[in-house]
Amino acid sequence: MTQLETRPILLTASDFRRHAEGLVEPGVWDFIEGGAEDERTLAANLRAFDRVRLRPRVLAGVSDVDTSVSLFGTRYATPIGVAPTAYQRLIDAEGEVATARGAGAAGALFVAAMFASRTIEDIAEASSTGPWLQLYWLRRRDVMRSLAQRAEQAGFGAIMLTVDVPRMGRRWRDMRNGFAIGGGVAAVNIDPAVMASAHERDAGSSALARHASDSFDSSLTWGDLAWLRGCTRLPLVLKGILTAEDAALAVEHGADAIVVSNHGGRQLDGAVASLDALTEVVDAVGGACPVLFDGGVRRGADVLAALALGAHMVLLGRPPLWGLAAGGADGVAGVLCTATQELAHAMALAGRPTLAALDRTALRTTSLTGGDA
């Protein structure tokens, strides 16, 4: 056979997933794929999109479909970005640098995780679309301040604070595996002393959960956000909002954007699916700031549904990691470009050639509340 004949044909995110699974160490694969406890919320994120039905319009003039979107002064070719995920060198030797290059090739936003395994500066240099930096709230505020200021100096576009982890969810896959960060991989932007417990394996427990218990500040309240705002001039994005009440408080406390997210089903098992929370949050925000979305997106039609319900941008968590495992930067670009092509195709067939043309009339809304699909 020729090399072309033996190369896997990867047409969908599911194709990338199947190919990637055999290339990743099993414990790391469980870390990527797993959710909290019985993984009910992880499954609910996927099922929520199965209830969506689209209402296509015809004779809408769809010869030119435009998927581009602007956010905080940056124009992206696609409304599909990369959500923050940690320790990407567990999957590919170049880690976050490869993901940044792949996102740039697709014209997409890349959000680098606080626990990235490549430096903030290396990620910035590899990115052509202006990455953002995600943070958790640590007891060590000096560490948070330093990271935020380094990101601003390196040219990052925003700070994304994850607010749904006062403690880490009970992720039974990681606990059963005694998962710890090894293989010479580390959160290189943080003092090793702060990260030590993340590398200490103990059968029947997760090193990452122990590290979160040691390091995360669970006393955080809305009033503390002003301190982080004062650390940089970058926009502040809050990730992990699922209710109208918290959406209103986020606006009240000056959030520049929020992300509707249940942490990919990795925190409170039994929490509402992200898609089922989206309308409530969008209505509560009332246009005061952009609303982003993540959770269970696997195809372009899923993106269309989230955008029609009011999301400004949709972030993918696991699929870019499948691309990273399957082909490094090219694999990441492949996942993002595939999803964008699927979105453009769905927009054309739905008779909605621009993102501005996507609204709730594009969906059969009864299907989102469990009605006849």
Side-chain angles (χ1 to χ4, degrees):
M1 288 188 178
T2 69
Q3 184 177 0
L4 180 62
E5 290 171 328
T6 60
R7 184 181 303 163
I9 298 174
L10 306 176
L11 300 179
T12 68
S14 295
D15 290 340
F16 279 95
R17 183 186 183 279
R18 284 189 292 270
H19 183 57
E21 184 173 7
L23 303 174
V24 177
E25 191 273 324
V28 174
W29 185 254
D30 277 345
F31 169 58
I32 295 170
E33 292 292 283
E37 301 185 14
D38 291 316
E39 301 185 349
R40 293 177 296 162
T41 297
L42 174 60
N45 278 346
L46 300 172
R47 286 200 306 270
F49 286 103
D50 290 339
R51 298 196 304 271
V52 171
R53 293 295 179 267
L54 306 179
R55 299 181 65 247
R57 300 294 303 274
V58 299
L59 303 179
V62 295
S63 56
D64 295 312
V65 174
D66 183 7
T67 63
S68 64
V69 64
S70 293
L71 193 54
F72 300 147
T74 299
R75 191 76 175 170
Y76 301 96
T78 175
I80 304 169
V82 181
T85 52
Y87 300 109
Q88 292 185 14
R89 285 194 60 241
L90 290 171
I91 303 166
D92 176 85
E94 287 195 300
E96 291 80 3
V97 164
T99 304
R101 288 207 315 271
L109 169 67
F110 170 48
V111 186
M114 181 182 208
F115 300 129
S117 52
R118 297 295 302 266
T119 69
I120 286 170
E121 293 75 15
D122 284 348
I123 293 168
E125 184 177 355
S127 175
S128 59
T129 50
W132 296 0
L133 178 67
Q134 174 266 346
L135 297 177
Y136 292 105
W137 200 286
L138 304 182
R139 293 191 178 99
R140 289 279 304 275
R141 291 195 179 192
D142 60 314
V143 174
M144 294 180 62
R145 181 189 297 110
S146 173
L147 291 171
Q149 292 176 347
R150 282 174 61 191
E152 182 173 9
Q153 187 171 19
F156 278 57
I159 297 295
M160 179 182 286
L161 178 68
T162 296
V163 294
D164 61 355
V165 191
R167 61 176 66 184
M168 186 168 285
R170 290 169 56 83
R171 303 172 189 173
W172 288 342
R173 293 201 210 191
D174 290 348
M175 295 167 71
R176 291 185 177 111
N177 291 332
F179 185 72
I181 303 302
V185 176
V188 297
N189 294 293
I190 303 175
D191 184 339
V194 175
M195 300 303 305
S197 58
H199 300 273
E200 297 169 359
R201 189 180 188 280
D202 186 12
S205 70
S206 162
L208 298 186
R210 291 197 308 274
H211 174 259
S213 179
D214 293 343
S215 302
F216 290 11
D217 186 352
S218 60
S219 70
L220 178 66
T221 68
W222 290 100
D224 292 307
L225 296 179
W227 174 84
L228 183 56
R229 274 198 161 282
C231 291
T232 80
R233 296 165 294 179
L234 294 176
L236 178 61
V237 180
L238 301 186
K239 179 179 183 289
I241 304 294
L242 290 172
T243 65
E245 297 90 334
D246 282 343
L249 284 166
V251 171
E252 179 183 334
H253 287 84
D256 295 296
I258 62 177
V259 185
V260 175
S261 171
N262 57 31
H263 215 102
R266 293 161 72 84
Q267 278 300 104
L268 175 62
D269 198 27
V272 62
S274 294
L275 190 70
D276 291 334
L278 180 55
T279 300
E280 164 183 343
V281 170
V282 168
D283 288 348
V285 168
C289 69
V291 175
L292 288 73
F293 173 87
D294 74 29
V297 175
R298 297 293 182 267
R299 57 189 68 83
D302 298 345
V303 177
L304 187 152
L307 296 173
L309 289 174
H312 191 79
M313 182 175 283
V314 172
L315 304 179
L316 306 184
R318 294 175 178 90
L321 297 181
W322 305 337
L324 183 65
D330 289 343
V332 173
V335 165
L336 295 170
C337 290
T338 293
T340 301
Q341 291 161 5
E342 290 174 348
L343 171 62
H345 184 72
M347 289 169 63
L349 293 182
R352 312 281 177 148
T354 67
L355 300 186
L358 289 172
D359 58 23
R360 294 178 190 177
T361 66
L363 308 180
R364 184 176 175 185
T365 55
T366 55
S367 66
L368 298 181
T369 56
D372 181 16

